[in-house]
Every structure is written in C-alpha cells, then in structure tokens.
Amino acid sequence: MENIFPSRHPLVAHKLTYLRDRDTEPKKFRELVREIAALLAYEATADLATAPRHIETPLAPMTGEALAEKIGLVPILRAGLGMVEGTWELMPQAEVWHIGLYRDEKTLKPVEYYNKLPVEPTVSVCLILDPMLATGGSACATVNVLERWGVKKIKFVGIIGAPEGIARLHREHPHVPIHLAAIDDRLNERGYIIPGLGDAGDRQFGTG
Ligand code: URA
C-alpha cells in the first residue's frame, strides 16, 4: 500500500524488541518510546520544505536552508504523550497541540474529551503521535479534527500498527502518510494488537 512506511532502521527494530518485552519497566519503556519516536519523526519529516537562509559562518557568508513549514505535534492523550519529548528535541520550534480521546471499551469507538485548538490553524503540517494504531478509530477522528481545523498536511507517526487500523486510516485518509516502527499480525477481540506490547499508556505510566 502506498503511503505506509514501516521503518527499516536496525536501531528502531532493536529498540522495539526491548519495548515489547513484558519485563521492560516503565522507566526504560518511556526512554524507548522517546527514542523510537525521535527516529520515526526523523524519517517522517524527510520531505519538509526548506527555504534559503543567508547566514555568515565565522569564515564566509553563505546561503543555507531553514525549515519553511510550521510544525504542530499532536499527541493523542494519553499514550501519545511519551512520543512528544523525543520528537520535540528534533524540532524545538514546533507547537504541541493535545487531543484527548479515549476508547469506549464496549464499542471500541473513540470519544473526544479534550481539544483546545484555536479557531484558526497556527501550523501548516501536523504530526499525529500515538504509539498504537489499533482499530484506527482515534487516528481517523484526530485527522478529522485537524482537517476541520484547516491543516493541509497531516502525517501519522505511531510505533506499532495492526493491519486493521492501517487499512482503515488509509481507506478514510489515503493522503495521510503512516510511519510506524512495525506492522503486527492482528487485533484480538478486546482491540489489543497481537503480539504488540500491551497497553502503551499503562506501560508508560505504571498503571497496568
Ligand atoms: N492501545 C494499546 O495501548 N495497545 C494495544 O494493543 C491497542 C491499543
């Protein structure tokens, strides 16, 4: 499928294995989420536009390049929070806009509970951050929110995707590139990704 980018980077594969391990404790888990998010964000931003920028080095004037697009990081609460820090380190000028969605355990559908976006969009490209692309419900709902806000360029950055969630996000929003560390086998009857890593929120915040 076009527009789906599972990382091929060995560092991502290595870190993901430790992230999945049930014996990895929350402190290490958070560190790995941060690092994997940074590596994926690096890949996801490879096509950002730049504009010429005139500077002087200590030795000579020259024209370099600077980012021409205003970036918004949009973590989906709460599991997406852990992906902000590593990504933000790479692009400290980015704005961070939070979207709160929880998954109704019965219907498995996303329910929006937090959204403080101003009326006019303040950024031109958004990276949606959510470690688990499971049913695709939250991802699609967030893309809808951002499109309504007026953002033209939207990318999804997750850690593990299930075929079901990837297919849904791709079907509903084919123009949204999907960057992942891995694509897993399937969803179980409770909407968890198999083999996955369990509940990404609980594992980061020690609430499992
Ligand atoms: N959310 C999680 O945290 N884990 C899954 O496996 C699916 C959704």
Side-chain angles (χ1 to χ4, degrees):
M1 265 190 280
E2 238 176 73
N3 244 1
I4 296 163
F5 304 100
S7 177
R8 306 169 82 86
H9 202 294
L11 279 177
V12 172
H14 173 87
K15 289 176 191 295
L16 180 61
T17 301
Y18 289 90
L19 190 74
R20 290 180 186 275
D21 190 328
R22 64 188 299 165
D23 293 331
T24 298
E25 291 171 358
K27 185 173 192 295
K28 183 71 185 168
F29 190 92
R30 290 193 296 273
E31 182 182 308
L32 290 163
V33 167
R34 191 175 70 233
E35 292 170 350
I36 293 170
L39 291 165
L40 296 177
Y42 172 77
E43 294 181 350
T45 49
D47 65 348
L48 288 190
T50 59
R53 184 176 166 85
H54 301 286
I55 55 156
E56 291 193 18
T57 78
L59 299 175
M62 68 161 285
T63 303
E65 291 176 70
L67 284 178
E69 296 181 271
K70 284 196 81 176
I71 306 166
L73 305 180
V74 185
I76 302 180
L77 302 176
R78 77 191 154 133
L81 283 178
M83 295 178 71
V84 172
E85 201 183 311
T87 310
W88 215 0
E89 287 274 305
L90 297 180
M91 44 199 105
Q93 71 285 12
E95 297 177 6
V96 180
W97 293 101
H98 300 86
I99 301 284
L101 298 168
Y102 69 85
R103 203 159 54 139
D104 185 298
E105 290 295 329
K106 289 210 183 75
T107 64
L108 299 185
K109 289 202 165 46
V111 181
E112 187 176 314
Y113 68 89
Y114 186 87
N115 173 356
K116 293 271 186 231
L117 296 173
V119 177
E120 293 295 325
T122 55
V123 295
S124 52
V125 50
C126 279
L127 303 186
I128 298 174
L129 307 176
D130 190 4
M132 308 302 273
L133 180 55
T135 61
S138 305
C140 287
T142 305
V143 175
N144 289 334
V145 166
L146 295 177
E147 282 186 342
R148 253 183 276 130
W149 194 33
V151 179
K152 296 279 176 299
K153 204 160 147 187
I154 300 169
K155 294 162 179 266
F156 181 90
V157 183
I159 295 181
I160 301 179
E164 295 89 331
I166 295 168
R168 175 165 173 196
L169 179 55
H170 186 66
R171 186 173 64 246
E172 294 188 19
H173 300 285
H175 55 283
V176 173
I178 303 173
H179 293 267
L180 295 163
I183 299 175
D184 274 10
D185 299 344
R186 63 184 175 89
L187 288 181
N188 71 7
E189 60 293 342
R190 291 177 53 223
Y192 281 90
I193 299 177
I194 304 296
L197 49 73
D199 187 302
D202 283 345
R203 293 202 60 189
Q204 289 179 75
F205 299 110
T207 48

